[in-house]
Amino acid sequence: DKAGYKHFMAKEIAEQPAVLTRALDAYFADGAIALPEPGLDFSRIERLTLVACGTAFYACLTAKYWFEQLARLPVEVDVASEFRYREPPISPGTAALFVSQSGETADTLAALRYCRDRAETIGAVVNVTESTIARESDLVLPIHAGAEIGVASTKAFTCQLTVLLLLALRAAHARGRLDDAALADKIAGLRALPGLVNHGLAIEEATRDIARRLSEARDILFLGRGIMYPLALEGALKLKEISYIHAEAYASGELKHGPIALVDEHVPVIVMAPRDGLFDKTISNMQEVMARGGRILLVSDATGIREAGDGVWQSLAMPEVDPWLAPILYALPAQLLAYHTAVAKGTDVDQPRNLAKSVTVE
Ligand code: F6R
């Protein structure tokens, strides 16, 4: 049931404030972060391996920043289809987490089985809790997104991010990197996030107008730095899978090492730039693109857009947000731009060509 929306994808984007709240509620007991049994003892774990495909892989890439920066826990991230063929050594103190909306992705399952007798603990971050990946794991961490029907993953992505962030906060506390007060502060920030996401939905009108213009492009670039780099990758994936426009993402600082050769006035460049510690650097990369005639869509908050100065082609003003929460909030413009571009092109948004919701072959 599309509940009055034109597509499941639109409904699932709009549902995010509610499902994020539900996911958060499920992981708190008496004000503390509570994991399902048997839990995960982060004071004993020495490293994390995160494995997934597609959008879930980008959630893992984002989480690497959280685990490493907040908890100082080393993280390796792999696409599942590559993982086991590399025959990676898994050292004894490793927890391996497999992130999958469906819980049935063949490559992710095969990677899990590779880790079975090698990793200390196997965890599943899944939406479908009765799935194979969940059944074969020691610990099941549900993302509580509810059924996701649109082939392009939206609410599952932000719920995956939320659960991974909760784990990172727990790890930071267990490893003595956040004291009780600092943890309480972070938790309060996270609890306020669904409200911010709700405010963020107000960009939809502006997004629709911009998307009409994007729909005429043949190629689109996404840029992000630091923790926004994986989100740029997710934005490009979302756009190409439903609008069929070629899109690529680069770490902002990598642009001048080759891809800037692609830039001319026909290539829109979408810059994901919340006002974090890397903002000035991102803006200077953006100006390099502008100097070559590139058309910039700047996604930041109102102050960031003002500080970035004149000359951008379009901008989208997001609510202000703590930088470590920005990937979850900025998933919205990534999703809405892809959605409205696809609608403007008249593609089959919920059932894009050549794609299946659950990929059960390798
Ligand atoms: C993109 C998308 C896919 C899935 C990928 C993994 O919008 O939906 O990239 O994220 O196929 O699927 P799951 O999470 O079910 O393992």
Side-chain angles (χ1 to χ4, degrees):
D1 172 17
K2 293 181 195 155
Y5 289 91
K6 201 166 154 203
H7 300 101
F8 282 109
M9 185 178 177
K11 168 176 172 265
E12 289 162 3
I13 290 171
E15 265 171 10
Q16 288 176 110
V19 294
L20 290 172
T21 303
R22 186 170 62 195
L24 287 170
D25 286 346
Y27 282 89
F28 284 105
D30 304 323
I33 300 171
L35 301 184
E37 289 302 320
L40 206 50
D41 184 358
F42 280 108
S43 61
R44 286 186 48 225
I45 290 164
E46 286 158 31
R47 63 184 51 74
L48 268 184
T49 289
L50 304 178
V51 184
C53 299
T55 288
F57 170 66
Y58 297 139
C60 293
L61 276 186
T62 309
K64 177 178 168 80
Y65 290 78
W66 286 324
F67 281 110
E68 294 193 345
Q69 286 174 356
L70 296 168
R72 308 305 301 161
L73 183 62
V75 176
E76 284 205 55
V77 185
D78 270 281
V79 281
S81 57
E82 286 295 321
F83 181 71
R84 69 189 188 286
Y85 299 112
R86 209 177 68 234
E87 300 178 17
I90 309 287
S91 41
T94 301
L97 297 182
F98 300 86
V99 181
S100 174
Q101 187 284 129
S102 64
E104 300 295 347
T105 300
D107 280 313
T108 310
L109 178 60
L112 182 156
R113 288 176 178 160
Y114 174 88
C115 290
R116 182 73 270 167
D117 296 321
R118 296 179 168 97
E120 176 126 354
T121 311
I122 297 208
V125 178
V126 288
N127 199 27
V128 182
T129 48
E130 51 287 352
S131 58
T132 314
I133 287 175
R135 271 202 314 274
E136 296 197 14
S137 296
D138 306 322
L139 168 68
V140 180
L141 299 156
I143 62 167
H144 299 285
E148 190 181 64
I149 311 287
V151 163
S153 187
T154 52
K155 61 177 181 168
F157 176 65
T158 47
C159 286
Q160 285 161 351
L161 288 176
T162 300
V163 170
L164 290 166
L165 177 51
L166 283 167
L167 289 179
L169 289 175
R170 207 177 143 103
H173 188 250
R175 292 163 61 83
R177 298 286 171 172
L178 280 182
D179 62 21
D180 290 349
L183 178 67
D185 198 52
K186 294 276 188 216
I187 287 175
L190 191 49
R191 289 294 229 170
L193 185 66
L196 274 188
V197 171
N198 197 34
H199 283 142
L201 286 168
I203 61 166
E204 181 144 21
E205 266 316 302
T207 307
R208 195 177 291 128
D209 291 337
I210 295 169
R212 258 195 293 273
R213 311 215 200 171
L214 291 178
S215 70
E216 289 155 18
R218 212 186 60 178
D219 309 284
I220 296 179
L221 289 178
F222 282 78
L223 298 182
R225 243 183 205 271
I227 200 165
M228 300 309 281
Y229 169 46
L231 186 72
L233 291 164
E234 167 64 3
L237 174 64
K238 214 86 303 174
L239 189 77
K240 65 189 135 190
E241 69 178 329
I242 59 170
S243 77
Y244 315 146
I245 295 174
H246 169 240
E248 277 192 77
Y250 282 94
S252 312
E254 187 62 12
L255 199 69
K256 51 167 119 1
H257 299 285
I260 200 162
L262 294 172
V263 169
D264 65 18
E265 67 279 13
H266 304 296
V267 182
V269 181
I270 301 175
V271 182
M272 296 288 185
R275 264 185 313 128
D276 56 19
L278 300 171
F279 178 74
D280 292 344
K281 290 198 192 317
T282 305
I283 294 306
S284 92
N285 297 136
M286 179 189 94
Q287 283 158 348
E288 291 161 4
V289 172
M290 280 158 51
R292 284 151 188 90
R295 282 191 293 163
I296 298 286
L297 163 54
L298 175 61
V299 187
S300 186
D301 58 32
T303 308
I305 291 167
R306 192 159 7 90
E307 285 178 7
D310 295 333
V312 304
W313 172 58
Q314 301 281 340
S315 57
L316 277 175
M318 300 299 295
E320 289 192 19
V321 63
D322 276 338
W324 59 284
L325 291 171
I328 303 178
L329 180 64
Y330 280 56
L332 274 184
Q335 297 164 351
L336 287 169
L337 285 167
Y339 175 72
H340 287 293
T341 304
V343 169
K345 291 200 69 176
T347 59
D348 188 348
V349 171
D350 283 335
Q351 198 55 256
R353 66 187 185 199
N354 309 341
L355 295 176
K357 185 67 187 159
S358 175
V359 183
T360 52
V361 289
E362 293 183 20

